[in-house]
Amino acid sequence: MALLLIRNNKEYQPWIDALQKADPTIEVVTPETIKDPEDATMAITWKAPKGSYAKYPNLKVIGSMGAGVDHLFEDESLPEDVILTRVVDEKLASDMQEFVAALCLNHIRNLKTYARLQQENTWKPTDYKRAKDVTAGILGFGTLGQAVGTMLKAIGFNVIGWSSSEKNVEGIKSYTEDELNTFLSKSEILVCLLPLTENTKGILNEELFNKLPQGAYLINVARGGHLVDDDLIEALNSEHLSGAALDVFHTEPLPEEHPFWQTENIIITPHIASMSNAASVSGQVAENYQRMQNGEQLLNQVQAKKGY
Ligand code: NDP
């Protein structure tokens, strides 16, 4: 019995150290160190090379090292009968809160414009908005969406959320699926925190942008697959949207020739909104390993049918 780690960048040592600290009884292995593939009963992975899971016939549990699980479903070798888990972590939530708050404040106080004007030695005061006069809509009002919404509310923004099921968060109106148009019509800043699924792929498109108020601002910290890139460029060129902050892209790293690099009013960050930290999440992974062995219900299970 062993816990197998598989990562695209093969940076295993922080995970091995953190897991052994959390529970020294667990044998932690990697594709390079495992002696017999039949030993692996649980795998914790991030963007594993395609086809990886087929090599380990005894996997009962496969967990994502992060909050997103789209990378698991993209691999056809993912067995149908395994239990899937993901990470729910306070640090992941607080990092996301701080990042999105920074982008919202940057937007209403025009800091990107001043950074550009500084390059031109230009002193040019412009009007700004106050948080209390701006409504931020959280598209995907789940674990991270609610954390971000609560932070924006505390700063002073009006906040609304949209999700499949209704949520009860103090001071924040929760809209559900068939109320999308009303939700969008009020969202002057739209923050995408949806999981990437068959239903949400390409949701940030021309039709959706047209339902936002004139001059709305887009923040996508979810997945590149949510966005139709050309529709965003068009919405910015027509000035229906005033700008966008993008942390995630269809192809990462964002290719050098991608038009986003040259599009004014887009802030590009390299998928750093909130990064899973081995020391912080290893406790829940070790706990799940023990639960699996004892035949108990696991923490943070993913509903495979829903895709998140
Ligand atoms: P959750 O599963 O907790 O929340 C997802 C929310 O989206 C839920 O409220 C869910 O509704 C809602 N939702 C899902 N599908 C639909 C739909 N078709 N229509 C309406 N609402 C829908 O996920 P997290 O908050 O933990 O994470 C969200 C995403 O953030 C991750 O999947 C990942 O892609 C991204 N992420 C990005 C990071 C970065 O660094 N850029 C870091 C971490 C995560 P309901 O609650 O009713 O089911």
mmCIF file of all heavy atoms in Angstrom, residues 6-10 12 31-32 45-55 71 75 77:
data_model
loop_
_atom_site.group_PDB
_atom_site.id
_atom_site.type_symbol
_atom_site.label_atom_id
_atom_site.label_comp_id
_atom_site.label_asym_id
_atom_site.label_seq_id
_atom_site.Cartn_x
_atom_site.Cartn_y
_atom_site.Cartn_z
ATOM 1 N N ILE A 6 1.898 12.248 -8.512
ATOM 2 C CA ILE A 6 2.225 12.458 -9.932
ATOM 3 C C ILE A 6 2.006 13.935 -10.239
ATOM 4 O O ILE A 6 0.909 14.461 -10.030
ATOM 5 C CB ILE A 6 1.348 11.627 -10.907
ATOM 6 C CG1 ILE A 6 1.131 10.188 -10.422
ATOM 7 C CG2 ILE A 6 1.966 11.633 -12.297
ATOM 8 C CD1 ILE A 6 0.260 9.346 -11.357
ATOM 9 N N ARG A 7 3.032 14.599 -10.724
ATOM 10 C CA ARG A 7 2.956 16.031 -11.049
ATOM 11 C C ARG A 7 3.577 16.276 -12.404
ATOM 12 O O ARG A 7 4.592 15.657 -12.732
ATOM 13 C CB ARG A 7 3.789 16.839 -10.048
ATOM 14 C CG ARG A 7 3.087 17.322 -8.842
ATOM 15 C CD ARG A 7 4.037 18.198 -8.063
ATOM 16 N NE ARG A 7 4.014 19.549 -8.605
ATOM 17 C CZ ARG A 7 3.214 20.499 -8.127
ATOM 18 N NH1 ARG A 7 2.431 20.261 -7.120
ATOM 19 N NH2 ARG A 7 3.216 21.706 -8.650
ATOM 20 N N ASN A 8 3.030 17.249 -13.137
ATOM 21 C CA ASN A 8 3.606 17.562 -14.447
ATOM 22 C C ASN A 8 5.041 18.078 -14.322
ATOM 23 O O ASN A 8 5.900 17.729 -15.108
ATOM 24 C CB ASN A 8 2.732 18.581 -15.207
ATOM 25 C CG ASN A 8 2.486 19.865 -14.423
ATOM 26 O OD1 ASN A 8 2.662 19.910 -13.210
ATOM 27 N ND2 ASN A 8 2.068 20.892 -15.116
ATOM 28 N N ASN A 9 5.332 18.862 -13.259
ATOM 29 C CA ASN A 9 6.678 19.450 -13.166
ATOM 30 C C ASN A 9 7.644 18.603 -12.324
ATOM 31 O O ASN A 9 8.791 18.995 -12.115
ATOM 32 C CB ASN A 9 6.607 20.872 -12.603
ATOM 33 C CG ASN A 9 6.103 20.895 -11.167
ATOM 34 O OD1 ASN A 9 5.914 19.847 -10.543
ATOM 35 N ND2 ASN A 9 5.879 22.073 -10.633
ATOM 36 N N LYS A 10 7.165 17.473 -11.830
ATOM 37 C CA LYS A 10 7.988 16.524 -11.061
ATOM 38 C C LYS A 10 8.633 17.126 -9.816
ATOM 39 O O LYS A 10 9.643 16.612 -9.328
ATOM 40 C CB LYS A 10 9.070 15.894 -11.958
ATOM 41 C CG LYS A 10 8.473 15.125 -13.112
ATOM 42 C CD LYS A 10 9.500 14.275 -13.804
ATOM 43 C CE LYS A 10 8.838 13.473 -14.913
ATOM 44 N NZ LYS A 10 9.739 12.619 -15.607
ATOM 45 N N TYR A 12 8.585 17.002 -6.482
ATOM 46 C CA TYR A 12 7.964 16.124 -5.474
ATOM 47 C C TYR A 12 8.418 16.379 -4.047
ATOM 48 O O TYR A 12 7.694 16.091 -3.116
ATOM 49 C CB TYR A 12 8.255 14.653 -5.819
ATOM 50 C CG TYR A 12 7.554 14.204 -7.072
ATOM 51 C CD1 TYR A 12 8.272 13.766 -8.182
ATOM 52 C CD2 TYR A 12 6.174 14.206 -7.146
ATOM 53 C CE1 TYR A 12 7.631 13.361 -9.337
ATOM 54 C CE2 TYR A 12 5.524 13.795 -8.296
ATOM 55 C CZ TYR A 12 6.253 13.373 -9.381
ATOM 56 O OH TYR A 12 5.609 12.971 -10.510
ATOM 57 N N PRO A 31 6.273 8.173 -9.599
ATOM 58 C CA PRO A 31 6.426 7.236 -10.727
ATOM 59 C C PRO A 31 7.872 6.758 -10.874
ATOM 60 O O PRO A 31 8.131 5.669 -11.376
ATOM 61 C CB PRO A 31 5.990 8.064 -11.944
ATOM 62 C CG PRO A 31 5.039 9.071 -11.371
ATOM 63 C CD PRO A 31 5.576 9.407 -10.011
ATOM 64 N N GLU A 32 8.811 7.594 -10.418
ATOM 65 C CA GLU A 32 10.235 7.229 -10.541
ATOM 66 C C GLU A 32 10.685 6.275 -9.446
ATOM 67 O O GLU A 32 11.612 5.486 -9.640
ATOM 68 C CB GLU A 32 11.116 8.495 -10.497
ATOM 69 C CG GLU A 32 11.065 9.363 -11.749
ATOM 70 C CD GLU A 32 9.783 10.186 -11.878
ATOM 71 O OE1 GLU A 32 9.137 10.439 -10.842
ATOM 72 O OE2 GLU A 32 9.427 10.536 -13.014
ATOM 73 N N THR A 45 -2.463 14.024 -7.508
ATOM 74 C CA THR A 45 -1.863 14.408 -8.788
ATOM 75 C C THR A 45 -2.156 15.853 -9.180
ATOM 76 O O THR A 45 -3.122 16.444 -8.716
ATOM 77 C CB THR A 45 -2.379 13.488 -9.931
ATOM 78 O OG1 THR A 45 -3.683 13.899 -10.342
ATOM 79 C CG2 THR A 45 -2.449 12.046 -9.499
ATOM 80 N N TRP A 46 -1.314 16.379 -10.052
ATOM 81 C CA TRP A 46 -1.553 17.679 -10.681
ATOM 82 C C TRP A 46 -1.090 17.584 -12.131
ATOM 83 O O TRP A 46 0.079 17.380 -12.407
ATOM 84 C CB TRP A 46 -0.802 18.808 -9.951
ATOM 85 C CG TRP A 46 -1.179 20.149 -10.503
ATOM 86 C CD1 TRP A 46 -0.414 20.978 -11.272
ATOM 87 C CD2 TRP A 46 -2.455 20.798 -10.363
ATOM 88 N NE1 TRP A 46 -1.126 22.094 -11.610
ATOM 89 C CE2 TRP A 46 -2.382 22.018 -11.070
ATOM 90 C CE3 TRP A 46 -3.657 20.457 -9.722
ATOM 91 C CZ2 TRP A 46 -3.466 22.906 -11.147
ATOM 92 C CZ3 TRP A 46 -4.720 21.333 -9.800
ATOM 93 C CH2 TRP A 46 -4.617 22.547 -10.497
ATOM 94 N N LYS A 47 -2.081 17.669 -13.036
ATOM 95 C CA LYS A 47 -1.782 17.621 -14.470
ATOM 96 C C LYS A 47 -0.840 16.466 -14.809
ATOM 97 O O LYS A 47 0.212 16.676 -15.445
ATOM 98 C CB LYS A 47 -1.210 18.956 -14.942
ATOM 99 C CG LYS A 47 -2.213 20.091 -14.743
ATOM 100 C CD LYS A 47 -1.697 21.400 -15.259
ATOM 101 C CE LYS A 47 -2.734 22.490 -15.032
ATOM 102 N NZ LYS A 47 -2.275 23.821 -15.341
ATOM 103 N N ALA A 48 -1.214 15.273 -14.376
ATOM 104 C CA ALA A 48 -0.396 14.080 -14.653
ATOM 105 C C ALA A 48 -0.276 13.879 -16.160
ATOM 106 O O ALA A 48 -1.221 14.166 -16.891
ATOM 107 C CB ALA A 48 -1.074 12.863 -14.025
ATOM 108 N N PRO A 49 0.881 13.391 -16.640
ATOM 109 C CA PRO A 49 1.000 13.100 -18.078
ATOM 110 C C PRO A 49 -0.147 12.172 -18.499
ATOM 111 O O PRO A 49 -0.506 11.252 -17.758
ATOM 112 C CB PRO A 49 2.354 12.388 -18.180
ATOM 113 C CG PRO A 49 3.110 12.829 -16.967
ATOM 114 C CD PRO A 49 2.100 13.074 -15.900
ATOM 115 N N LYS A 50 -0.736 12.457 -19.665
ATOM 116 C CA LYS A 50 -1.905 11.688 -20.119
ATOM 117 C C LYS A 50 -1.598 10.179 -20.134
ATOM 118 O O LYS A 50 -0.522 9.763 -20.545
ATOM 119 C CB LYS A 50 -2.314 12.129 -21.534
ATOM 120 C CG LYS A 50 -2.818 13.562 -21.604
ATOM 121 C CD LYS A 50 -4.317 13.627 -21.375
ATOM 122 C CE LYS A 50 -4.901 15.016 -21.472
ATOM 123 N NZ LYS A 50 -4.270 16.130 -20.831
ATOM 124 N N GLY A 51 -2.545 9.397 -19.664
ATOM 125 C CA GLY A 51 -2.400 7.937 -19.664
ATOM 126 C C GLY A 51 -1.779 7.396 -18.391
ATOM 127 O O GLY A 51 -1.661 6.180 -18.217
ATOM 128 N N SER A 52 -1.412 8.305 -17.458
ATOM 129 C CA SER A 52 -0.692 7.875 -16.250
ATOM 130 C C SER A 52 -1.475 6.841 -15.444
ATOM 131 O O SER A 52 -0.903 5.866 -14.938
ATOM 132 C CB SER A 52 -0.426 9.068 -15.325
ATOM 133 O OG SER A 52 0.530 9.917 -15.880
ATOM 134 N N TYR A 53 -2.789 7.066 -15.290
ATOM 135 C CA TYR A 53 -3.551 6.248 -14.325
ATOM 136 C C TYR A 53 -3.643 4.776 -14.747
ATOM 137 O O TYR A 53 -3.794 3.897 -13.913
ATOM 138 C CB TYR A 53 -4.946 6.845 -14.102
ATOM 139 C CG TYR A 53 -4.860 8.289 -13.674
ATOM 140 C CD1 TYR A 53 -5.377 9.310 -14.468
ATOM 141 C CD2 TYR A 53 -4.202 8.640 -12.500
ATOM 142 C CE1 TYR A 53 -5.258 10.639 -14.092
ATOM 143 C CE2 TYR A 53 -4.075 9.962 -12.115
ATOM 144 C CZ TYR A 53 -4.602 10.964 -12.917
ATOM 145 O OH TYR A 53 -4.466 12.268 -12.542
ATOM 146 N N ALA A 54 -3.532 4.519 -16.050
ATOM 147 C CA ALA A 54 -3.649 3.147 -16.554
ATOM 148 C C ALA A 54 -2.525 2.251 -16.020
ATOM 149 O O ALA A 54 -2.650 1.021 -16.000
ATOM 150 C CB ALA A 54 -3.627 3.161 -18.081
ATOM 151 N N LYS A 55 -1.441 2.881 -15.556
ATOM 152 C CA LYS A 55 -0.279 2.079 -15.125
ATOM 153 C C LYS A 55 -0.447 1.503 -13.724
ATOM 154 O O LYS A 55 0.351 0.687 -13.292
ATOM 155 C CB LYS A 55 0.974 2.971 -15.123
ATOM 156 C CG LYS A 55 1.347 3.477 -16.495
ATOM 157 C CD LYS A 55 2.524 4.441 -16.388
ATOM 158 C CE LYS A 55 2.680 5.214 -17.695
ATOM 159 N NZ LYS A 55 3.439 6.439 -17.522
ATOM 160 N N HIS A 71 -8.305 18.856 -14.718
ATOM 161 C CA HIS A 71 -7.157 18.104 -15.251
ATOM 162 C C HIS A 71 -7.366 16.596 -15.093
ATOM 163 O O HIS A 71 -6.859 15.808 -15.899
ATOM 164 C CB HIS A 71 -5.840 18.552 -14.592
ATOM 165 C CG HIS A 71 -5.733 18.257 -13.123
ATOM 166 N ND1 HIS A 71 -5.045 17.176 -12.623
ATOM 167 C CD2 HIS A 71 -6.245 18.889 -12.035
ATOM 168 C CE1 HIS A 71 -5.118 17.179 -11.294
ATOM 169 N NE2 HIS A 71 -5.840 18.201 -10.914
ATOM 170 N N ASP A 75 -8.126 13.347 -18.693
ATOM 171 C CA ASP A 75 -7.309 12.160 -18.968
ATOM 172 C C ASP A 75 -8.196 10.932 -19.142
ATOM 173 O O ASP A 75 -8.883 10.511 -18.216
ATOM 174 C CB ASP A 75 -6.335 11.944 -17.795
ATOM 175 C CG ASP A 75 -5.293 10.891 -18.114
ATOM 176 O OD1 ASP A 75 -5.575 10.003 -18.951
ATOM 177 O OD2 ASP A 75 -4.198 10.961 -17.538
ATOM 178 N N SER A 77 -7.499 7.985 -19.224
ATOM 179 C CA SER A 77 -7.114 6.811 -18.427
ATOM 180 C C SER A 77 -7.659 6.890 -17.001
ATOM 181 O O SER A 77 -7.415 5.990 -16.194
ATOM 182 C CB SER A 77 -5.593 6.648 -18.408
ATOM 183 O OG SER A 77 -4.988 7.583 -17.526
#
